[in-house]
Amino acid sequence: MHIFEGQARVPLKGWQQAAVAVGSALGALMNPARADLIAALGETTGKLAFQNLLDRMKTSHEGRIILQERPRVISSSVGHAWDLPANTFGAAYAKFMGSRNFSPDDRPPVRFMDTEELAYVATRAREIHDFWHVLFNLPTNMIGESALKVVEFQQLYLPMCLLSTIGGSVRMKAKQREYFFKYYFPWAIRAGMSCTDIMSIYYEKHFHEDLELVRNRWGILPAPDLKNLRPPSKSQ
């Protein structure tokens, strides 16, 4: 095993990687709450995509700084967000996490990447996922997660994002699926195409800035406001 900042990584042979991918996919389909299985699926099916992300980050000034400093989104490094003014990106992130009783320390560790650099890129993508929820104004329900996966697929090209979107839409009730494809899927296509490279942003350094200001700078198109849309019936 190799160690990435205290996390054990497991090198896999080709057939082992395929076995983990298939097992993770089946397990995640049966139990979408298993974040560890979804993480394993992303790692074992997305190595080429992670390599492309690494190469892309190296062409960006901010991306290179991220790769050099390797910031982690953990409580000890983002805790100051809870003390920032209400209009800031950091405060919006703190509100998002606090209202859901989420902790930045809850993400499963990366285990199946081949190099230290790729392990960090995979870790970074996993840890900044909640920043994207805040910036794109997406809830953490099935519709919100599926919509964000559409944005992520356009930006990251990870097969897991596409598989998660398909799996999520299949599990939706009929009215929810109609709601998703009528409002959120078209929005997600536009949002993924219009924003900047979301992997090459050093988000933590922008916590103190106004939320709407950073959205505009990065070309972020917030999702439709649920309050202004007719919610699907619980009976459907």
Side-chain angles (χ1 to χ4, degrees), residues 151-198:
V151 175
E152 290 178 1
F153 181 70
Q154 293 182 90
Q155 284 275 320
L156 313 183
Y157 301 109
L158 287 169
M160 177 271 295
C161 297
L162 179 60
L163 294 172
S164 295
T165 301
I166 295 172
S169 63
V170 168
R171 292 193 303 273
M172 292 176 192
K173 295 180 180 180
K175 194 66 177 181
Q176 290 177 318
R177 191 177 305 112
E178 177 187 352
Y179 193 64
F180 172 71
F181 282 108
K182 181 177 181 179
Y183 297 110
Y184 280 89
F185 188 81
W187 162 82
I189 295 295
R190 295 195 305 272
M193 294 177 63
S194 67
C195 62
T196 190
D197 180 0
I198 59 176

Side-chain angles (χ1 to χ4, degrees), residues 42-83:
E43 293 172 39
T44 52
T45 62
K47 294 191 176 183
L48 179 59
F50 282 121
Q51 181 63 57
N52 290 336
L53 287 174
L54 173 61
D55 294 340
R56 200 167 79 197
M57 291 176 73
K58 288 180 177 179
T59 67
S60 160
H61 173 69
E62 201 160 354
R64 289 193 297 272
I65 295 175
I66 294 169
L67 292 173
Q68 180 180 4
E69 297 185 2
R70 293 190 178 183
R72 297 293 308 279
V73 184
I74 53 179
S75 296
S76 59
S77 61
V78 299
H80 65 286
W82 273 253
D83 300 321

Side-chain angles (χ1 to χ4, degrees), residues 4 8-9 47 69 82 94 100 109 128 140 166 190 216 223:
F4 171 66
R9 291 195 295 113
K47 294 191 176 183
E69 297 185 2
W82 273 253
R100 293 165 174 80
I128 60 180
T140 53
I166 295 172
R190 295 195 305 272
N216 290 334

